[in-house]
Amino acid sequence: MDYFLQQFVNGLTLGGVYALVALGYTMVYGIIQLINFAHGEIFAAGGYMGVILLSYLASHGLMETHPWLGLGIALVLSMGYCAILAIAVERIAYRPLRGSSRLAVLLSALGMSIFLQNGLMLTQGVYDKAYPTGFTQGGIDFGNVHISLMQILILTLTTSLLIGLNLLVFKTRIGKAMRATAQDKVMSALVGINSNRVIATTFAIGAALAAAAGIMVGLYYGSVRYDMGFVPGIKAFAAAVLGGIGNMTGAMIGGLIIGMVEILAAAYIPYGGEYKDVFAFIILILVLYFMPTGIMGENVDDTRV
Amino acid sequence: MVTAVLALSLAFASMGMAKTLKIGSMSPLTGSYAADGNDIANGARAAISVIEKQGGIPGYDKIELLAQDTACDPKQAVASANKLINEGVVGVIGAYCSSSTIPASEVLAEEDIPMITPASTNEKVTERGLPYMFRMCGRDDDQSVVAVAFMKDYLKAKTVFIVDDKTTYSQGLADNVEKLAPDSGLKVLGHDHVNQGDKDFSAVLTKIKDLNPDVLYMSLQNSSSGALMLIQAKRIGVDAAIVAQDAVYHPQLMEIAKDAAEGAYLTFGFIDTEKPAYKTFLEAYSKYGKPGAYSAYAYDAAMTLLSAIKAADSTDPAKVKAEIMKMDTAGASKNIKFMENGDSGSNYVIQVVKDGKFVNFWDPTTKKLF
């Protein structure tokens, strides 16, 4: 039982990270029906910004005296940076193509992904960059089940960001505008909603969440690398599709399922560690086979962003 | 005026005469193994700078290294080999991953181009009978023998859990350890595989913690994966002694894993850092940073190739090979003496991470601590 609970916590942590990244895919899809393949690279850029900021703060001694303040600063700045980066990506790669065929935008997204990844490689080098320590040890024990400080941090941060996002989407003006644009771009524009601004905001919010996930991953695993965005990007995309692309709750559930399947497959199935990605995608295929619109459905207009 | 014109035309004449000796290197310069791959190219560059300082190679004004990126991909390695053939290289240092070295060496063999691998430890590399294939590093079968001997004789281990990441190298080593373990009274509690590029090892490490083996044999072809596994093993609370192998060796391991790397053991070719050949290497290499796992081997491989060309006064493969086989000199990594099959022998010892540094720890021949 302890073993299962321990693996459950592992799965929850990994799933939380996927969920944060998946939200960006699903929000952008919900609003302009675009699979933003550059999203994984935004996640990587967030991780890099985090390591740069934390190293800078550590070199000035802040991480020794006020580690949580330092982390907060790094988190906020890196989320802001990625938001701006995503707005720029949207301006350069997607807005000029709005109205052209979906294939053109998709190719533009793939191109952007490759461009950003190579940009990271050329500016930051091919070697791993190590995160300064400070948060990696410690935690709570429940009997034999150990929840590390980083796992607590990831789960708390993920939960609070998700709550914040829900409040934003359902309780604020911009949230209402986002939902309206998702439902009908033309009509909402006619009633005076600036759809370009709403779309840019959606990109920015998704990117900020991905940046938070990037820092969490960097801290949790201790390092970042230029190509770190690719695999989590694919997994998070799968999570978004699994949950019902365009559906926020679905993206969170999808993320948790993918993370959990990965860990439990590695924990219980012989050779599971080797084929854990396969199991995650088998689940995806099965769900889509029986529920073509994903677990939460695709076209629930009320909850769709 | 006349002298100036004369000087200028002489300068042009000598430029026209300029001959460049081209050698190739093949290693992953991007991707997961970029750290080791760049170490190899830099090791070869360091050797060229030493040879040029010693007066170069008669008949050539310049030695040029054409460093190719294989990305540890067999297809790209074959393409690189073809490219190097077209460029007219006289020898190749590489190609790191055994799975790349083997197909690339067959392309080079058709043109009789000597290839010296600084890093491919799989047995098959030299066991196919290619006449111009040489190996500067040790072999997997020798490496796993040392690892198992250490577990049994020093750690007095009864149980072992094996993890590899499915490369020809890491799985080859892991399989050898699994095969040898029962004879040494070691019980293999499990043998799991992870994927290259995985970041999350929490599932397999939780399993290991649950089974509580005496040793975790960490067979990963990458210092950065190794660092991630060490960090997570410490965090999850795995008590087993961790034994890794030479591909995990890199200063980057401690930079990333920090305290979590302390006490990890690894099998590594013995290097006497006090000998003059090593010091020459270290000085020439210093502009590229700290040497990684295969820097010294790559340096020795390039040194071997260039000295053989110099001694033979020819780039004819047969003559170069004859010179290579004649050699019996002290290299930076080891004593360079090739056997008939192209191997140069293994000299694995156990190193340990202590105070953020790799130090020699246990000698398998004497079964004693250093």
Side-chain angles (χ1 to χ4, degrees), chain A residues 3 6-7 10 14 126-128 130-131 133 136 146 148 220-221 223 225-226 263 266-267 271 273-274 276, chain B residues 29 31-32 34-35 38 166 193 195 198-200 202-203 206-207 210 224 228 231-232 235 252 255-256 258:
Chain A
Y3 177 65
Q6 186 71 62
Q7 296 287 17
N10 294 340
L14 190 60
V126 291
Y127 294 89
D128 288 46
Y131 261 71
T133 41
T136 47
H146 178 73
S148 69
Y220 187 43
Y221 299 128
S223 68
R225 196 167 63 204
Y226 74 95
I263 294 287
Y271 301 106
E274 196 174 350
K276 64 185 181 358
Chain B
L29 302 176
S32 309
N38 282 294
K166 295 195 293 189
H193 310 277
N195 297 310
D198 269 359
K199 281 205 173 256
D200 192 297
S202 57
T206 302
K207 191 191 270 184
D210 202 50
S224 70
L228 293 178
I231 293 172
Q232 293 173 43
R235 193 187 296 147
Q252 193 183 259
E255 269 165 43
I256 297 167
K258 302 183 181 77

Side-chain angles (χ1 to χ4, degrees), chain A:
Chain A
M1 192 61 197
D2 285 346
Y3 177 65
F4 172 75
L5 285 176
Q6 186 71 62
Q7 296 287 17
F8 187 82
V9 173
N10 294 340
L12 212 56
T13 318
L14 190 60
V17 171
Y18 289 157
L20 273 184
V21 184
L23 278 167
Y25 278 101
T26 225
M27 287 169 67
V28 166
Y29 183 86
I31 211 148
I32 52 171
Q33 280 78 52
L34 159 72
I35 306 291
N36 179 13
F37 277 112
H39 194 58
E41 272 59 50
I42 302 270
F43 158 80
Y48 262 102
M49 204 50 179
V51 73
I52 292 166
L53 291 166
L54 285 174
S55 305
Y56 177 79
L57 294 173
S59 72
H60 286 70
L62 188 70
M63 297 312 287
E64 297 276 330
T65 50
H66 301 89
W68 295 104
L69 177 69
L71 181 62
I73 295 173
L75 200 58
V76 169
L77 287 181
S78 148
M79 285 168 82
Y81 163 76
C82 283
I84 294 167
L85 183 64
I87 292 173
V89 167
E90 196 267 332
R91 269 287 167 92
I92 296 163
Y94 306 140
R95 193 179 290 185
L97 291 170
R98 206 165 291 151
S100 43
S101 80
R102 258 196 212 190
L103 199 60
V105 193
L106 191 74
L107 287 175
S108 179
L110 281 173
M112 205 55 188
S113 156
I114 294 166
F115 175 80
L116 289 176
Q117 191 183 111
N118 282 292
L120 267 183
M121 185 178 91
L122 291 172
T123 54
Q124 303 298 322
V126 291
Y127 294 89
D128 288 46
K129 260 204 163 59
Y131 261 71
T133 41
F135 299 95
T136 47
Q137 304 302 333
I140 315 174
D141 287 294
F142 295 100
N144 282 324
V145 183
H146 178 73
I147 306 181
S148 69
L149 189 59
M150 274 315 300
Q151 286 178 321
I152 297 171
L153 186 62
I154 289 180
L155 292 173
T156 323
L157 191 77
T158 308
T159 319
S160 24
L161 285 173
L162 294 181
I163 293 170
L165 180 67
N166 264 295
L167 290 175
L168 182 89
V169 169
F170 292 105
K171 303 282 180 210
T172 63
R173 240 177 111 78
I174 181 76
K176 201 180 245 179
M178 281 160 74
R179 281 181 290 143
T181 310
Q183 264 186 24
D184 194 325
K185 220 181 303 164
V186 180
M187 274 310 287
S188 55
L190 283 176
V191 297
I193 292 173
N194 181 343
S195 62
N196 273 340
R197 197 151 88 207
V198 169
I199 291 166
T201 311
T202 312
F203 270 91
I205 295 169
L209 295 175
I215 291 198
M216 291 296 107
V217 162
L219 277 173
Y220 187 43
Y221 299 128
S223 68
V224 286
R225 196 167 63 204
Y226 74 95
D227 59 357
M228 68 183 273
F230 181 70
V231 175
I234 297 283
K235 297 263 176 67
F237 168 58
V241 175
L242 179 65
I245 189 138
N247 186 308
M248 273 170 34
T249 322
M252 293 178 233
I253 295 173
L256 289 177
I257 291 177
I258 298 260
M260 202 63 88
V261 166
E262 231 184 274
I263 294 287
L264 294 183
Y268 286 102
I269 301 173
Y271 301 106
E274 196 174 350
Y275 295 110
K276 64 185 181 358
D277 298 352
V278 178
F279 291 114
F281 284 97
I282 287 175
I283 299 280
L284 175 69
I285 291 164
L286 285 179
V287 168
L288 292 181
Y289 191 76
F290 292 107
M291 305 160 94
T293 54
I295 291 170
M296 300 296 288
E298 188 178 354
N299 290 315
V300 188
D301 283 331
D302 264 1
T303 55
R304 180 172 138 183
V305 173

